[in-house]
Structures are given as C-alpha cells and as structure tokens.
Amino acid sequence: MKTAVEQLQNDLNSLPSLLNPRPGLGVEAPVVPPLMEVIPVATFASLLIEIAARVEVIVDAVKELETVAEFRSADDDKPKQVNQLNSLTLSNDQRKEEETIEVLQRV
C-alpha cells in the first residue's frame, strides 16, 4: 500500500508538467480537463494519502501493543476453554444425578 501511495504522490507531482508542457519540446499540448472535473479527483487522492498514513500509524501502534502486552496465540487458550466447558458440563450432570437420587429417595 505504501508503494501505491508513493506512486500516486509522484503522479500528482508530475500533473502540473503534464497540464502545462514546456514549449519547444516538439510535444503537442494535451487536452486540459476543466478544473471542476479535476478537483474531486485531487480531493479523493489527497484523502487516500491521508488515510494510508493514518492506517500505517495504527498498524505500528498495534504491533507495539502486541509486544508490550505479550499477547498469546488464540490456539494456546483453546485447551483451557474446552476443559472449563467439560468441567461445567460435568458439574451440571452431577447436579442432575444428585437431584434424581434425592427424588428417588423421597419416593
């Protein structure tokens, strides 16, 4: 993404020379689009450049947070979660069995 932004910036920098060629170079003058058609494109390009710069800052901040917080992989937590779910299910089953035994004893 960074190379695309740099290429866009280079193209925008060369835009004035394309719109106003130097006389005597043997190049025909290009058709100049009306200014009202160029403004939205330039605004859009400027916004894209700004967004790309902000995203890079966010990515760097997340990477720094990852190293500072010492995040673990999601795979590391799965066995613990499965064990907790199994123990909850087991305790629920034990409760049901105890309730059944109590009901049978009353009868």
Side-chain angles (χ1 to χ4, degrees):
M1 178 166 54
K2 189 174 184 177
T3 56
V5 171
E6 289 173 355
Q7 184 179 6
L8 180 61
Q9 286 176 334
N10 290 336
D11 290 342
L12 288 174
N13 289 337
S14 66
L15 184 63
S17 65
L18 292 174
L19 294 177
N20 298 322
R22 294 181 185 168
L25 293 178
V27 178
E28 293 182 22
V31 177
V32 178
L35 185 60
M36 294 305 291
E37 291 180 11
V38 175
I39 289 176
V41 174
T43 303
F44 180 71
S46 175
L47 288 173
L48 280 178
I49 291 169
E50 184 66 27
I51 289 170
R54 303 278 178 165
V55 167
E56 286 182 23
V57 170
I58 291 170
V59 168
D60 292 340
V62 169
K63 285 181 181 178
E64 182 180 342
L65 177 65
E66 175 188 14
T67 57
V68 170
E70 298 177 357
F71 288 145
R72 293 185 310 250
S73 161
D75 296 334
D76 294 343
D77 292 337
K78 284 187 180 180
K80 292 178 184 177
Q81 291 174 352
V82 169
N83 289 338
Q84 289 175 350
L85 288 175
N86 287 341
S87 66
L88 288 176
T89 305
L90 183 61
S91 63
N92 286 339
D93 290 341
Q94 288 175 347
R95 286 185 198 143
K96 287 180 183 178
E97 287 178 18
E98 289 175 5
E99 289 174 2
T100 305
I101 292 172
E102 288 177 17
V103 169
L104 286 175
Q105 287 175 349
R106 289 182 193 164
V107 173

